[in-house]
Each structure stands twice: as C-alpha cells, then as structure tokens.
Amino acid sequence: MDALKNFDGAYWRDLFDSRVGKTTWPYGSGVWSKKEWVLPEIHPDDIVSAFEGNSNLFWAERFGKHLVGMNDLWVKHCGISHTGSFKDLGMTVLVSQVNRLRKLNRYPLVAVGCASTGDTSAALSAYCASADIPSIVFLPANKISMAQLVQPIANGAFVLSIDTDFDGCMKLIREVTSELPIYLANSLNSLRLEGQKTAAIEILQQFDWEVPDWVIIPGGNLGNIYALYKGFKMCQELGLVDRIPRLVCAQAANANPLYLHFKSGWGTDFKPVNATTTLASAIQIGDPVSIDRAVYALQKSNGIVEEATEEELMDAMAKADSTGMFICPHTGVALAALIKLRKSGVIGPSDRTVVVSTAHGLKFSQSKIDYHSKAIPEMASRFANPPVEVKADFGSVMDVLRNYLRDKPPK
C-alpha cells in the first residue's frame, strides 16, 4: 500500500479507465487492467487470462420500480464471464501465479486442486487447461447441476465425485494438498481474493467513481464478501473515492451459519451448521473457510446479513427473469434479501443499490424448469409460466390467443 500511495487517486482512476476495452495484453481483462493492485510483479507472459471481468452493470429499472419501489437498482452480472461465474476473476490470478511457479522449477507442483460446489471447478479447469496445467476437482456427488458438472469434465480435469457435501470435500482437499504436491485453489488462497476484489473497483468505474449506498452479495464460503470489501477499501485508502458502500451478505436459510452468527450479535464463538439441500447449490456450505474475513468486512462496512427461504429465492429469481434478466438461484437469494430489506425500510427507495449476480442462469436451467412446471415439492411456484399445450389448427390457436390477450389491453 505504501508503494501504491506514491500515486494519487486521480492517477489510478485515469490509468484504470484508459485500459477498459483495450486489446493490449493483458490489460483488456477487467482483472489485469488493475495489475498493479493485484499481482504487480508477475510478467505478462506468465499471465493466464480469458479477458475476464468488464461484466455488465445492468440497470434493473423494471424490477426496481415495479417490484421493490426503487429507482436506482443495479445488477452486476459477473456470470457473464468466460466460464459463466464470478470465480473467473480470482482464478485467473491464482492460475497465473501457478504458471509462474512451475516455470521457475523451484516448487514440485504437479497439479492444482479444489473442492467445489460447481463454479470454482469450472473456472479452475478452464484456466488450467489454457495453461496446460493438470487440475483435480473434488465435487459432492449429486449436489451440483449437470451444467456445472460437465464443465470440468469437458476441460479435461480429473474429477472425483465424492459421497459427501462441500464441507466434506473441503476437508479432504486440505488433507490431500498437505501430503501431495497439489496446489490448493480454494478461496483460502488469498490470490483468489486479489482477483475477486476487482469487481468492486469495476463497479466504481462503471458509476464514474461514485460510490453506491449498498452492495448485496450471495454468501457461501464467504471469500467474496471480504474480496469486495477489500476492493472498495483500497479505493478509499488510495484516494479514488471518499467512502465505501454498506455490504449485505445474503444466505440461503438452509445454509445460513453467517446469518445466525449475525443475529446473535456476532457472538464470541462462530458455530458451523449442517447445510441442508438448497436450490442455491453453490452456497450450500455450513462451515465457510472465510468466516473470519467475512465478519471483519461486514463489521468494517457497517454491513448486515439476511437470509432467504427456498420459496423466497425461487420466487425472486422468477420475478427477476420476468423483467428480462436470466439469473441464477444464488442471485435470487440476494434479490430476496433486497425485497426483505426494502419492506423493513432498511434500504430506502432512492438508495443506489448493486446486487452482485454470481453465475449465469443457464447453469441452473433445471431449477427453472422445475419451478415453472411446478415440480418442486411443497413450493407454490406462484410466478410459474408453463407453456400452453394447443392443437395444431388455426381455430384452437386463435381461441388460446384471444383468451390470453383479453386481459392485456394495449398501452
């Protein structure tokens, strides 16, 4: 930080802005355009990048105005990335550093490994494949979507489907990497967070360096909460902005250890939970490895934690999709948290609020199919929109369309 402070905030703003959208290697990446703040000493030839980042900051005008009574609601679509999730932001940094270490021949690194609920393994396998580095993935059996499972398989990773949950996979990978020359790629590794923090810097850039009031983030293993806090805090300390936003961590009620810890008043002892099945499968984590860093970030940002039930998160996802988005269930958790905080008056109607969308909705198409076909047990699916079966003749089609249009007068 002392070295970075040799340059003022205006210098950094101008430098970062000058690199957006450029093809000059590696600065066209949303991560590596902030190289001096991420991994300054790595040589560009060692960087493994898919020009990740620079993701859409979407003005959720219709959802905001008509569904939650807000005029300044934004969704940061981090899932519009190389592997369809925000995990690319951190993985480009970690795999680049492994690429560098392997070239130095000082360390016997034969592979990179991770435990994953889906997106981490997709990012790790893609970046390792690009750099010709073997990747090893521990996945909980039958607990991730088929789209998430096929990504590491297609990228050539060595995939172990293990009869446990994510927390069990995490325990095993930590034990394995302590015995074998396999580099651990989970967010315990600070290199991941160095990349993920650039999402915060990017949000500020996209608002012309104006600070939003709130940023809402789905939370599972909780590294992303701290990463975004770090990005905002660095911008404040280095003079790019004069304050940081309040952070909200949104958890699924079926995997809510941080929420329970928050509701206890940040009691002295954090208690893990046994996470039960949630459609927001990527955050189905009961013993998050970044708990201490997440609590620190929330306390320093005057942040809060909210939860969402399965019905709340799926309804929120369906409502968002009906306004033109196509989000993942985890973003549904964040939007459900937003709805609750608006109803309670914690977030005001004019507060500039950013919801971080962590993955592409196409990764979770089965959950959407089940919702709209009302196939999820004990869920009303109030906003389901199933297709209408109709005979293949003009009269039948006209009857169906007249019934549909009768309640929809032209505007």
Side-chain angles (χ1 to χ4, degrees), residues 237-251:
E237 289 190 12
L238 292 168
L240 286 75
V241 296
D242 59 3
R243 63 184 181 92
I244 65 172
R246 293 184 68 183
L247 299 182
V248 177
C249 178
Q251 292 209 294

Side-chain angles (χ1 to χ4, degrees), residues 84-141:
S85 92
F86 82 102
K87 299 293 179 70
D88 293 352
L89 302 178
M91 207 58 75
T92 180
V93 181
L94 182 140
V95 174
S96 294
Q97 181 70 339
V98 171
N99 191 40
R100 174 178 177 266
L101 294 174
R102 281 165 60 91
K103 287 181 179 180
L104 290 173
N105 289 320
R106 295 180 192 167
Y107 311 95
L109 297 177
V110 298
V112 187
C114 75
S116 178
T117 50
D119 290 333
T120 298
S121 64
L124 175 65
S125 61
Y127 284 85
C128 281
S130 179
D132 195 23
I133 299 171
S135 59
I136 299 170
V137 171
F138 287 19
L139 294 175

Side-chain angles (χ1 to χ4, degrees), residues 151-270:
Q151 285 184 283
I153 291 172
N155 287 137
F158 186 66
V159 179
L160 283 71
S161 180
I162 302 175
D163 185 21
T164 183
D165 58 9
F166 171 81
D167 295 313
C169 288
M170 191 69 231
K171 180 176 182 293
L172 284 168
I173 193 73
R174 292 176 75 172
E175 292 171 348
V176 166
T177 53
S178 69
E179 295 292 331
L180 296 175
I182 299 169
Y183 193 81
L184 182 61
N186 284 94
S187 57
L188 273 170
N189 191 314
S190 61
L191 290 167
R192 291 272 308 281
L193 306 185
E194 292 304 307
Q196 290 173 20
K197 77 184 180 190
T198 61
I201 307 167
E202 202 169 281
I203 288 170
L204 296 175
Q205 271 188 291
Q206 289 171 309
F207 283 131
D208 291 326
W209 304 101
E210 293 181 3
V211 182
D213 298 299
W214 298 89
V215 175
I216 305 175
I217 312 157
N221 227 8
L222 303 181
N224 54 352
I225 305 296
Y226 177 76
L228 266 79
Y229 166 78
K230 184 174 183 179
F232 287 124
K233 191 63 179 175
M234 284 185 71
C235 287
Q236 182 188 35
E237 289 190 12
L238 292 168
L240 286 75
V241 296
D242 59 3
R243 63 184 181 92
I244 65 172
R246 293 184 68 183
L247 299 182
V248 177
C249 178
Q251 292 209 294
N254 288 359
N256 64 350
L258 183 66
Y259 174 77
L260 296 176
H261 193 36
F262 171 74
K263 296 299 285 186
S264 73
W266 301 126
T268 53
D269 295 323
F270 168 75

Side-chain angles (χ1 to χ4, degrees), residues 9-22 27-30 32-37 54 200-210 235 240-241:
Y11 170 84
W12 291 117
R13 287 194 300 266
D14 291 344
L15 178 66
F16 295 160
D17 287 346
S18 72
R19 292 170 172 172
V20 174
K22 298 297 192 295
Y27 300 121
S29 158
W32 295 108
S33 63
K34 288 87 176 170
K35 179 176 182 289
E36 295 82 0
W37 288 25
N54 295 322
I201 307 167
E202 202 169 281
I203 288 170
L204 296 175
Q205 271 188 291
Q206 289 171 309
F207 283 131
D208 291 326
W209 304 101
E210 293 181 3
C235 287
L240 286 75
V241 296

